[in-house]
Amino acid sequence: MTNHSETTGSSENGDIDPTAYDRHTNPEHQLTLRSPAELADALPYLLGYRPEDSIVLVALHDRAGRGRFGGRARLGIPAGADDWASVARQLAHGLVTGSERRGTRPEQMIAYVCQEPAPGESGRQVMERLRPLVQKLRTECGRLDVTVIEALCISDGRFWSYCCSGQGCCPVDGSPMGLPGTSVLAAAATYAGLQVRGTLRELRARLLPWETAAALQQEVALDAAGMTLVPKILDDASRADVAEDTLDLARRIMKRFALAPRVTGVLHSDFRDDDLLAHDEAAHLILGLQDRTTRDRAAEWMESDDALPALRLWRALARRCVGPYGEHAAAPLTLAGWVAWSTGDDLEAREALAMALGADPDYLFARLLHQACNEGLDPESIRRCLRAERVERAEGTGAEEVSGTGGATRHGEVVAGAEAADGSVEQGVSTPVETPAPSPTASPTPSRRRHRTRTPDLDGVPRRPRSSGADGRRSGGTDGSRPRTPAQGTARPGNTRSRTSGKGGSRRYDTCSEGPRPQANGVEGEG
């Protein structure tokens, strides 16, 4: 979904997850949210992060006369009021149809608008300014025969209910939000080991290009690497050697990352990784990954003890796509999104893939993965295809192929380190490889044989960095599957139930304490 408050291709894309009900059907440990205040406090736990400048719709499904939270949909608030009607229609239609595809059409909705005041503006003024937007949301949901039973505005540490019909029951200046972590739902999420991950802005900051003095040094390294690698990538005789050199270098750096001492905090973790990666190494990897077959082989590092070092490497490379090389970030961002999705972190996956499409809207691999992730598909079918590719390649050479951080494939098995729930690593875990039947989900992983037989005509021609025009948008446009190189010399909380009693129209919201899925396979957490 496109966020109309940003320029085309912005990473501030919305997301829809219609599968929340399906993933959280445990009827035990139900909680009751008895007021709009508790419902406002629940929003970060519904999404897994604290939304900013966002419109959020949350579906409610009726189960035995009681409601449960279902899917959620979010879009950025458009800057111009002229876009509000189309965004409201897009958001309501996307959530309802997405839920219908899962067989759980929502009966009711809860709407949120979240925005901090502009300079000189109060929270109450934000609430009044966004009132027409909320009305459009309610109207669009009504067209789909779904009632919005509550609509809240959250701004400046306070909240307002647009559905309050009583006189004098709600303060004119809004009700203060509770202190973070003090609600019943927060306690339940803490008990379940879940945490809110901050804001999307903080998550995206880990993937944005450098804007420091070091960015110029990295750009010089990219220019120099382009002069060396471009001719080799264009030459069929040396193209395979460049791919092997790129993958070997990536394995060495992943091992370097895996052996580095742990640090506390996201910012310090990223600084550590940046210090471990030299400018010339980053340049070689960024340009080498523009080759589609090299990128597909790198996508095999998506589980076990390969996943965390690979994710750290793809993040670090995305931060090195500076200056005119911004479009080159599509490859490492897509790989970061793929590893995050494969290991259960849907939030980072959606953001990384949206940013990849922002860097290159035509990048096919990112488009397919972003759609599959948003539709709640299981990444296992893609993982099986990648495992089978690795085994087939190893059998073709008659030798084991070493994985990124020490695992190996041999004789129809994938052998790698497996991270236990307590954080310890158990080595030598074998998983039989199953070759799946063709499926739509497996389409993002092209056949290895096909790559070998294709001639590198236009599909193999590297592209120059796009120059920015006067309007700040890059010119040109090509298929995202083509390699690109530079010019030479340059706790989701669980299911919430909602009830409206017959006395006074008071609302009750019951929720299960089960929250978002924990991150799997050792994926680095926030904080």
Side-chain angles (χ1 to χ4, degrees), residues 74 94 99 101 138 161 186 223 233 286 294 304 310 381 427 483 503 514:
R74 185 202 66 85
S99 298
R101 284 197 298 269
R138 300 177 70 179
S161 172
D223 290 342
I233 293 176
I286 290 170
T294 306
S304 300
S381 59
Q427 298 291 340
K503 297 180 180 181
E514 185 183 43

Side-chain angles (χ1 to χ4, degrees), residues 199-352:
T199 66
L200 294 182
R201 184 178 303 171
E202 294 169 347
L203 191 154
R204 287 193 296 270
R206 309 189 71 182
L207 303 170
L208 290 173
W210 282 350
E211 294 183 353
T212 63
L216 180 60
Q217 301 175 24
Q218 183 61 65
E219 186 174 340
V220 171
L222 284 162
D223 290 342
M227 296 180 65
T228 303
L229 293 180
V230 168
K232 294 181 179 180
I233 293 176
L234 293 177
D235 187 351
D236 288 340
S238 58
R239 190 175 184 181
D241 292 336
V242 174
E244 290 302 326
D245 290 344
T246 300
L247 294 169
D248 287 343
L249 177 59
R251 292 186 187 101
R252 293 198 301 272
I253 296 175
M254 287 168 58
K255 186 173 182 179
R256 189 186 305 166
F257 281 5
L259 297 176
R262 295 183 62 87
V263 297
T264 302
V266 169
L267 187 61
H268 293 93
S269 174
D270 291 342
F271 284 160
R272 171 203 58 195
D273 293 345
D274 290 339
D275 289 340
L276 293 172
L277 181 62
H279 294 307
D280 59 339
E281 294 173 330
H284 185 119
L285 291 175
I286 290 170
L287 298 178
L289 289 173
Q290 304 310 305
D291 177 68
R292 185 180 56 205
T293 58
T294 306
R295 178 208 65 196
D296 290 348
R297 288 182 62 182
E300 296 171 2
W301 303 325
M302 74 297 185
E303 57 189 345
S304 300
D305 54 351
D306 285 342
L308 176 55
L311 181 58
R312 290 166 55 186
L313 176 58
W314 308 144
R315 287 175 184 152
L317 292 180
R319 295 192 292 268
R320 302 295 186 101
C321 294
V322 297
Y325 294 88
E327 186 180 278
H328 289 65
L333 285 170
T334 301
L335 289 171
W338 159 237
V339 175
W341 183 39
S342 177
T343 52
D345 189 351
D346 292 358
L347 174 58
E348 180 166 1
R350 281 193 293 264
E351 287 304 306

